[in-house]
Amino acid sequence: MMRNEEKNRRKQEGLVLITIGLLLIAAALLLVSYNLYDELRAEKAAGQAVNKLEEYLYSEAALEAPTDPAGDQEPLVSDERTVIPDYVLSPNMDMPVETINGTDYIGVLKIPALELELPVISEWNYPNLRTAPCRYSGSAYLNNLIICGHNYTSHFGNLNDLREGDTATFTDMDGNVFTYRMAERETLNPADIEKMESGGWDLTLFTCTVGGQSRVTIRFELW
């Protein structure tokens, strides 16, 4: 009798453990599915935004391009004057923005080595990071721009793959293009804000590692 009770108890314990295991597997599958969905959602959102920004930049460039009513290929009168961008004359000026669906963007970031082309949101917060990389602080005009991004593969998840000498370009909403070359990689503590903003780097890109233990930080110099 005692032996049968022991068998039944062990059987029940086994069923409980199997049930718990199946629930854990189901939870893991749900988490993986959600992460894949969120990754695809973020990739789509960033892609739509960058397309609209490039349409805007293209239309602005077309409006500013000189036209010849006679249709001649060469200008009738040469103009040797050099147009100086506004930011050169006033580096402390605010970076212009283009608003898409209520969100302000300051430009487009391209990283050829990672095959990335991403919009950059003017101000960072966690909801914005789920759409696109954001300006953390600084300005391209003052050579101290810091951009943070989520560790989605389609955003900044592969920053650690960059190598010294790799390039990045940032195009602001006035069409000014800034070209940078990677100079250094750092791993920083999430709370080390002062070190993130120090060093006098022209451009900094960073993202959190999985679990948020540290920040992968890539430093660039103007090229």
Side-chain angles (χ1 to χ4, degrees):
M1 186 70 177
M2 291 294 293
R3 187 173 296 176
N4 289 336
E5 289 180 356
E6 180 68 16
K7 285 183 178 179
N8 289 333
R9 184 180 65 80
R10 290 182 178 179
K11 184 176 181 181
Q12 289 176 353
E13 289 177 350
L15 289 174
V16 169
L17 291 175
I18 291 172
T19 302
I20 292 173
L22 291 174
L23 288 173
L24 290 174
I25 291 172
L29 289 173
L30 285 173
L31 181 60
V32 169
S33 299
Y34 173 78
N35 288 339
L36 288 173
Y37 161 79
D38 201 39
E39 170 85 26
L40 292 173
R41 177 205 54 75
E43 183 177 5
K44 182 178 180 180
Q48 291 174 339
V50 83
N51 287 339
K52 290 183 179 180
L53 293 179
E54 290 188 335
E55 287 175 8
Y56 170 82
L57 288 168
Y58 179 81
S59 64
E60 287 295 299
L63 288 173
E64 293 176 3
T67 57
D68 179 8
D72 296 331
Q73 295 296 318
E74 298 294 331
L76 299 178
V77 179
S78 63
D79 188 349
E80 298 296 332
R81 293 175 297 177
T82 300
V83 178
I84 301 176
D86 292 341
Y87 77 88
V88 175
L89 301 174
S90 303
N92 288 310
M93 66 181 283
D94 291 335
M95 298 187 70
V97 301
E98 175 67 9
T99 303
I100 300 174
N101 297 327
T103 301
D104 291 339
Y105 293 83
I106 57 170
V108 176
L109 175 72
K110 295 182 181 180
I111 310 176
L114 301 181
E115 299 182 353
L116 290 179
E117 185 172 3
L118 295 164
V120 179
I121 298 175
S122 178
E123 296 183 1
W124 89 274
N125 56 49
Y126 290 111
N128 282 348
L129 281 175
R130 296 185 70 243
T131 296
C134 305
R135 174 171 54 176
Y136 182 77
S137 66
S139 167
Y141 308 154
L142 295 173
N143 300 328
N144 61 359
L145 181 59
I146 300 178
I147 300 174
C148 56
H150 204 289
N151 59 9
Y152 299 126
T153 303
S154 58
H155 288 188
F156 280 4
N158 292 326
L159 277 188
N160 215 26
D161 292 340
L162 287 174
R163 296 292 176 262
E164 194 171 322
D166 286 342
T167 61
T169 62
F170 175 78
T171 304
D172 73 2
M173 296 318 303
D174 280 343
N176 300 301
V177 180
F178 302 82
T179 302
Y180 306 89
R181 176 178 284 182
M182 179 186 164
E184 189 173 303
R185 176 187 291 103
E186 295 182 69
T187 300
L188 301 180
N189 186 298
D192 203 346
I193 297 173
E194 184 177 348
K195 192 168 184 180
M196 176 64 71
E197 297 179 339
S198 67
W201 299 102
D202 299 314
L203 173 68
T204 295
L205 309 180
F206 77 87
T207 188
C208 291
T209 56
V210 176
Q213 298 290 324
S214 59
R215 287 175 171 175
V216 176
T217 306
I218 308 297
R219 308 292 197 176
F220 290 83
E221 296 174 332
L222 272 171
W223 186 33

